[in-house]
């Protein structure tokens, strides 16, 4: 622990020292830490409601894409209900081969478990870099860090040069993203129809034409009750598709209770992002979620965040006009995509959600 001359914890110094190792949280575990560094300690109120062993397991809705052609109206209705009532749902029979999913999880593990020297060239906090490794450290003073490392790969307009990707996972990332894009097109149609719009509506406005792949590595934690793998947040996306390994730890806030989301091999988890809630004028909901730190690990997961094309990001977003009427006026004001993400970064963990900032008073 870094302590200043007046006896207080020196947040800035500890953050700088940790960041300069370029070894991430994995580096702390490799060094054999048995006590959680102060930088990673979260306030007790943010750790509350860690479920006891007898916690009730409410299960997420499951959307089965098998025989979609024949079952389309049924699947659209299930999607509408899940997006409206839960904001989170599982997707099965999605067309991504199991071996592609398993290979992607293995590649993420392989990348993060390379020697630190191999990973150092990728370590960066430069937001302009399309591919970078970091621990997503807090930018606001005295905010706690989280117990995880992230390799981020950003595909603007579905494009990222293969040679920009680390060799340890290059082939698997390219293959996985190809399937993510195919599934995005299916989900864009289902969500459009679930809003009562033409099936190509969301695709035409290009609100999900870019994707950011977060390849997450949550090492085992020496004191998991004092920190979080990912703190409570909602996603600043239109849609997120998540693949997780068999470790578990994901929880969602449903009816004011933290609900465990146990992993199901081969299933993906979809969640509605803040921006989809806004353009749907609250017909769909974006839900807060978190990942617990655990005494076992590593936990590997891959989140695919869908955001607008470069062209669409330059234009304002607002509730879709076709969904509005005198009885159902706009709940949110117009906004720019970058303005939203910037506001969220400055308010992260201090506001329940950035959505409130965009509500018409």
């Amino acid at each position: 622990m870094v302590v200043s001359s007046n006896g207080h914890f020196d947040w800035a110094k500890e953050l700088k020292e940790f960041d300069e190792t370029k070894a991430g949280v994995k580096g702390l575990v490799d060094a054999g830490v048995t006590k959680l560094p102060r930088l990673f300690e979260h306030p007790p109120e943010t750790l509350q409601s860690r479920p006891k062993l007898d916690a009730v397991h409410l299960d997420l809705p499951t959307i089965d894409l098998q025989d979609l052609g024949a079952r389309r109206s049924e699947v659209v209705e299930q999607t509408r209900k899940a997006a409206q009532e839960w904001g989170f749902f599982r997707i099965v029979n999605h067309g991504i081969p199991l071996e592609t999913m398993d290979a992607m999880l293995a590649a993420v593990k392989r990348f993060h478990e390379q020697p630190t020297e191999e990973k150092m060239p990728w370590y960066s906090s430069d937001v302009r870099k399309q591919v970078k490794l970091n621990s997503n450290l807090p930018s606001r003073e005295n905010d706690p860090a989280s117990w995880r490392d992230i390799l981020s790969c950003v595909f603007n307009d579905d494009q990222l040069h293969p040679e920009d990707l680390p060799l340890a996972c290059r082939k698997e990332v390219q293959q996985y993203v190809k399937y993510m894009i195919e599934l995005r097109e299916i989900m864009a149609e289902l969500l459009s129809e679930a809003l009562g719009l033409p099936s190509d509506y969301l695709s035409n406005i290009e609100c999900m034409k870019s994707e950011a792949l977060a390849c997450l590595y949550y090492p085992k934690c020496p004191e998991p009750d004092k920190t979080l793998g990912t703190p409570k947040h909602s996603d600043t996306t239109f849609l997120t598709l998540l693949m997780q390994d068999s470790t578990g730890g994901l929880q969602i806030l449903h009816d004011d209770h933290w609900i465990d989301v146990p992993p199901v091999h081969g299933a993906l988890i979809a969640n509605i992002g803040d921006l989809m809630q806004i353009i749907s004028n609250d017909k769909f909901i974006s839900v807060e979620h978190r990942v617990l730190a655990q005494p076992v690990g590593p936990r590997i997961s891959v989140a695919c965040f869908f955001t607008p094309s470069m062209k669409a990001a330059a234009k304002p977003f607002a509730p879709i006009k076709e969904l509005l009427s005198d009885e159902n006026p706009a709940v949110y004001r117009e906004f720019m995509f970058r303005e939203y993400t910037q506001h969220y970064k400055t308010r992260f963990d201090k506001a329940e959600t950035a959505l409130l900032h965009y509500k018409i008073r």
Side-chain angles (χ1 to χ4, degrees), residues 109-330:
K109 187 169 191 283
R110 184 166 62 243
F111 170 82
H112 284 286
E113 292 184 352
Q114 294 177 106
T116 299
E117 309 74 64
E118 299 280 325
K119 294 184 291 183
M120 272 184 177
W122 301 100
Y123 196 90
S124 174
S125 52
D126 184 349
V127 292
R128 294 164 302 180
K129 283 193 131 180
Q130 281 183 265
V131 181
K132 62 179 177 292
L133 168 69
N134 61 45
S135 295
N136 220 24
L137 293 171
S139 52
R140 268 201 329 240
E141 194 167 349
N142 296 322
D143 276 4
S146 296
W147 199 254
R148 58 155 192 251
D149 294 328
I150 306 175
L151 173 69
S152 305
C153 310
V154 177
F155 293 73
N156 290 319
D157 296 342
D158 296 342
Q159 301 300 312
L160 176 61
H161 200 287
E163 285 178 14
D164 290 342
L165 291 163
L167 203 50
C169 55
R170 183 178 296 168
K171 180 171 66 110
E172 292 81 2
V173 166
Q174 289 176 270
Q175 184 78 352
Y176 188 70
V177 165
K178 184 169 70 85
Y179 281 110
M180 284 286 102
I181 291 168
E182 288 174 12
L183 183 55
R184 171 198 69 198
E185 293 305 310
I186 295 169
M187 294 312 299
E189 289 187 1
L190 292 174
L191 291 165
S192 294
E193 291 174 41
L195 288 168
L197 299 165
S199 61
D200 60 356
Y201 191 95
L202 292 174
S203 188
N204 285 344
I205 65 169
E206 297 188 358
C207 64
M208 298 191 280
K209 191 77 172 57
S210 297
E211 45 282 333
L213 212 60
C215 304
L216 294 135
Y217 187 93
Y218 299 87
K220 66 178 181 183
C221 183
E223 297 184 279
D225 290 338
K226 291 183 177 178
T227 190
L228 287 164
T230 302
K232 179 178 83 165
H233 69 288
S234 57
D235 289 353
T236 56
T237 61
F238 283 89
L239 180 71
T240 302
L241 293 175
L242 175 78
M243 167 173 65
Q244 53 177 343
D245 70 5
S246 59
T247 311
L250 174 65
Q251 295 185 327
I252 69 166
L253 199 56
H254 182 71
D255 290 340
D256 277 337
H257 289 90
W258 285 110
I259 306 290
D260 284 325
V261 181
V264 174
H265 191 212
L268 290 169
I269 291 165
N271 67 281
I272 299 297
D274 288 357
L275 302 175
M276 187 71 82
Q277 176 164 338
I278 290 176
I279 67 165
S280 75
N281 209 42
D282 283 349
K283 280 190 162 55
F284 295 163
I285 58 167
S286 173
V287 169
E288 290 179 319
H289 48 289
R290 67 182 184 181
V291 177
L292 301 179
Q294 299 186 87
V296 294
R299 174 186 187 263
I300 312 290
S301 68
V302 180
C304 189
F305 302 112
F306 292 104
T307 57
S309 67
M310 306 289 269
K311 186 176 80 177
K315 292 189 274 191
F317 282 99
I320 295 166
K321 287 188 172 57
E322 289 84 340
L323 303 179
L324 306 178
S325 64
D326 290 345
E327 299 76 45
N328 187 32

Side-chain angles (χ1 to χ4, degrees), residues 53-81:
L53 291 173
D54 59 353
V56 177
H57 288 289
L58 283 174
D59 214 3
L60 292 187
T62 296
I63 307 297
D64 187 347
L65 299 183
Q66 187 88 43
D67 301 325
L68 183 55
R71 299 174 46 245
R72 195 167 188 97
S73 58
E74 175 198 344
V75 175
V76 167
E77 177 53 24
Q78 288 172 348
T79 303
R80 184 199 62 75
K81 204 166 183 295

